[in-house]
Amino acid sequence: MTFLIRLIAWVVVCGAAVSPALADNAFVLPRAPLVTFRDCPECSEMVVLPTALAIGRTPVTRGQFARFAEATGFKQDGWGCSWTTPEYPQTDDDPVTCVSWADAQKYVEWIAARTGHPYRLPTLEESRYAAMGGETGSYWWGQSVGVNRANCKGCGSQWDSVGTSPVASFKPNAFGVFDAVGNVWQWTGTCVAEKCGEHYLFGGSWASVPADLRASAKIWNDLNYRLNTYGIRLVRDASR
Amino acid sequence: MRGAIRRRFAAALALFAWLTVCGLPFAASAQQAAPTGPAKAAPGKAIQECANCPIVVTLPDGAAIGKFPVTRGEFAAFANETKFEGKGCYQMQANGKDWLVGENADWKSPGYAQTDRHPVVCVSWNDATRYVEWLSKKTGHEYRLPTLEESVAAAIAGGTDEFPFGADAATICQYANVGDVSYAKAFPGDARPHQPCDDKFGYTAPVGSLKPNKYGLYDMTGNVWQWTNSCMKGDCSNAIFRGGGWNDTDLENFRVRHSWGDRVQVRSFALGFRVLRPATP
């Protein structure tokens, strides 16, 4: 009887500490290998998310955008910077910037026509999901901004507040997404209001404070604003 | 006896209830009649705190806003004292479409002729905030850029019209230096349709050259775009400016509620600022 009581007490007191350890060993599945593909030589490399949505592993680069501009005779005019003169030095591997939502949409439509696949801009929710890589903190790497995790203002990289960094200069998240946050704000397909005169942007840029890189942060703008902190990331349904 | 007490009590209760319900408006009006706070300057009063300081005009809420955009002469006082330099300024090209950074363009040489009475241009939001900081120190009063809401309220001047100068777009050249006949003469390569009137200025105009709005404020639209203290749509690495400039041909730019924005580092040869002096507590 005494033994039984002791056993029950031991299970109640100590069992709680033991069981999670058991669960970890017994039930966690190995992480699935990344599934990646590229639909054309100048297309973004895509990675398939657990939701079967494929997302660009990096923002669209300036080199990739240049192919589109050459093929279509794309031109920008009016106030502000242009993708060829973003006010700071860039390489072809830097993300394209100084693109408005309307510019991004033209690019997306061209890629869709070129590949025959339903490319589009991600929604705000899809951007958040892909950027967090299954994590739930402020950033996919944890609660604090850390050092040299992403390109943002005061985030400890050589590009801090200077300009964009070549894509994939930092470690990817668990979904294999590079520059998930930071470097350039990414235009989304999500409208601010029903009239759709403004769209949200996600992720923060090289000029953003760390708080703007959190998944909860978002900004928005008219469809014809092009700033040297705005860029493009593609998505498409992986099954079509 | 008991009945008398009850009656008295009821009367006292009624009096108390009456005072509670009806006394408040009296209390409020008494407070209005004898304000305890500092007296607000009457709206429309002009204040200038030093020889080269911008003139500000008091508004109904007690704040005061620049009567004009900050002039080149006023900015020069700051630049000389602080050894300010800031090169690199966007300039619209002759075709009216392309904007390129002039690496050597700055507030002293924006790419066209100006005098000290012209509004200063080629100043970024960062430059403008340095100026207001300097002005605050110099005068001992807080000066800052107006928020978008403050700038719009000062522009609309208690009215409800589409433009700071009223509802009639045809009168625009009396109040605002815009992309008009004179502008078209200065930029013959610009194919955009210009405003079909003449304000007599091809580039910036000396401040106060045209008519003021109902608050006595000049250039609340036209002449130069003006930086505000407001972040753009969630992103504080950008700030909003409003007002429309001397080279804008589309009427849309001059509507009270129209605004644009850009990076806080950006300078443009059609973009200046106006100061606001908050109500002193």
Side-chain angles (χ1 to χ4, degrees):
Chain A
M1 188 62 194
T2 317
F3 170 76
L4 200 62
I5 289 169
R6 279 191 187 160
L7 184 67
I8 289 168
W10 183 85
V11 167
V12 169
V13 173
C14 310
V18 174
S19 53
L22 276 174
D24 272 357
N25 292 332
F27 304 117
V28 168
L29 296 169
R31 180 166 286 158
L34 295 182
V35 179
T36 63
F37 64 87
R38 203 188 280 271
D39 283 328
C40 70
E42 65 271 34
C43 290
S44 290
E45 188 191 5
M46 308 296 282
V47 59
V48 181
L49 300 174
T51 52
L53 180 77
I55 192 162
R57 291 196 76 184
T58 70
V60 173
T61 66
R62 188 163 155 172
Q64 289 164 346
F65 195 85
R67 300 289 89 74
F68 152 75
E70 282 160 21
T72 61
F74 173 77
K75 282 227 165 217
Q76 294 172 315
D77 60 35
W79 162 255
C81 61
S82 88
W83 71 277
T84 52
T85 54
E87 299 170 23
Y88 48 79
Q90 276 195 321
T91 70
D92 270 359
D93 289 331
D94 278 53
V96 67
T97 63
C98 293
V99 282
S100 67
W101 183 90
D103 298 340
Q105 194 59 27
K106 275 183 201 159
Y107 177 77
V108 166
E109 281 165 18
W110 180 74
I111 284 282
R114 165 114 181 60
T115 61
H117 291 293
Y119 277 94
R120 60 180 171 80
L121 295 173
T123 65
L124 182 60
E125 290 71 26
E126 288 165 347
S127 301
R128 285 177 169 160
Y129 173 76
M132 287 310 286
E135 298 297 328
T136 54
S138 291
Y139 311 96
W140 62 259
W141 59 82
Q143 295 297 339
S144 83
V145 73
V147 177
N148 208 27
R149 290 292 201 164
N151 184 4
C152 59
K153 191 175 178 180
C155 301
S157 84
Q158 60 177 295
W159 298 282
D160 266 20
S161 304
V162 176
T164 55
S165 42
V167 297
S169 292
F170 302 90
K171 280 186 192 160
N173 70 9
F175 289 165
V177 175
F178 290 98
D179 299 297
V181 293
N183 214 1
V184 283
W185 287 100
Q186 298 155 32
W187 278 110
T188 72
T190 305
C191 308
V192 174
E194 273 174 33
K195 263 171 64 190
C196 256
E198 296 177 315
H199 274 242
Y200 286 115
L201 295 106
F202 171 82
S205 79
W206 58 270
S208 300
V209 292
D212 279 349
L213 271 66
R214 293 184 300 191
S216 55
K218 61 178 188 241
I219 61 166
W220 60 100
N221 220 327
D222 295 359
L223 309 184
N224 56 348
Y225 270 77
R226 44 172 214 264
L227 297 174
N228 63 4
T229 51
Y230 291 1
I232 310 169
R233 192 188 291 271
L234 301 174
V235 292
R236 82 165 173 89
D237 185 332
S239 64
R240 290 169 64 200
Chain B
M1 186 62 192
R2 246 196 202 169
I5 290 171
R6 204 177 280 158
R7 268 197 302 277
R8 263 182 224 163
F9 180 70
L13 199 67
L15 183 68
F16 178 74
W18 182 84
L19 271 177
T20 306
V21 175
C22 311
L24 279 174
F26 289 99
S29 63
Q31 218 166 26
Q32 270 170 11
T36 47
K40 282 177 184 172
K45 193 187 153 208
I47 303 168
Q48 187 179 26
E49 302 199 63
C50 72
N52 281 318
C53 292
I55 301 169
V56 290
V57 175
T58 53
L59 299 169
D61 69 356
I65 196 164
K67 187 174 180 179
F68 313 110
V70 170
T71 66
R72 215 170 120 156
E74 288 157 1
F75 195 81
F78 151 77
N80 293 340
E81 272 188 37
T82 63
K83 311 265 184 293
F84 170 84
E85 275 198 36
K87 283 191 190 299
C89 178
Y90 268 105
Q91 296 168 311
M92 191 190 70
Q93 306 300 297
N95 64 8
K97 281 180 168 183
D98 299 323
W99 287 79
L100 296 174
V101 174
E103 297 297 341
N104 286 313
D106 67 2
W107 67 277
K108 282 185 279 192
S109 50
Y112 51 86
Q114 283 193 314
T115 70
D116 274 357
R117 288 295 297 160
H118 281 243
V120 67
V121 292
C122 289
V123 282
S124 68
W125 185 90
N126 286 338
D127 301 339
T129 49
R130 281 175 65 181
Y131 174 83
V132 289
E133 219 163 53
W134 170 83
L135 185 62
S136 302
K137 251 184 220 152
K138 191 171 182 68
T139 60
H141 279 120
E142 183 192 348
Y143 280 84
R144 58 172 170 78
L145 298 177
T147 64
L148 177 64
E149 292 75 14
E150 287 166 340
S151 180
V152 168
I156 204 164
T160 53
D161 291 326
E162 243 182 300
F163 304 99
F165 51 84
D168 186 5
T171 63
I172 192 165
C173 286
Q174 298 174 34
Y175 296 87
N177 175 18
V178 301
D180 63 332
V181 172
S182 291
Y183 164 81
K185 273 182 210 152
F187 284 81
D190 184 348
R192 297 175 299 171
H194 56 78
Q195 289 302 307
C197 55
D198 193 355
D199 59 40
K200 307 276 195 263
F201 297 96
Y203 298 86
T204 52
V207 298
S209 294
L210 300 161
K211 289 187 189 170
N213 74 358
K214 290 193 191 80
Y215 282 170
L217 307 171
Y218 293 81
D219 301 316
M220 284 311 285
T221 188
N223 216 5
V224 288
W225 290 87
Q226 295 158 33
W227 285 109
T228 74
N229 218 16
S230 297
C231 298
M232 196 173 65
K233 300 174 181 180
D235 186 0
C236 288
S237 66
N238 300 299
I240 295 177
F241 44 82
R242 62 157 296 279
W246 55 268
N247 60 334
D248 289 305
T249 52
D250 188 350
L251 209 51
E252 181 62 22
N253 296 293
F254 306 104
R255 293 185 201 281
V256 174
R257 294 189 190 285
H258 182 80
S259 64
W260 196 257
D262 213 313
R263 307 286 317 292
V264 294
Q265 292 91 334
V266 162
R267 302 188 181 101
S268 150
F269 81 163
L271 174 56
F273 66 102
R274 190 183 292 263
V275 300
L276 182 122
R277 185 180 183 269
T280 40

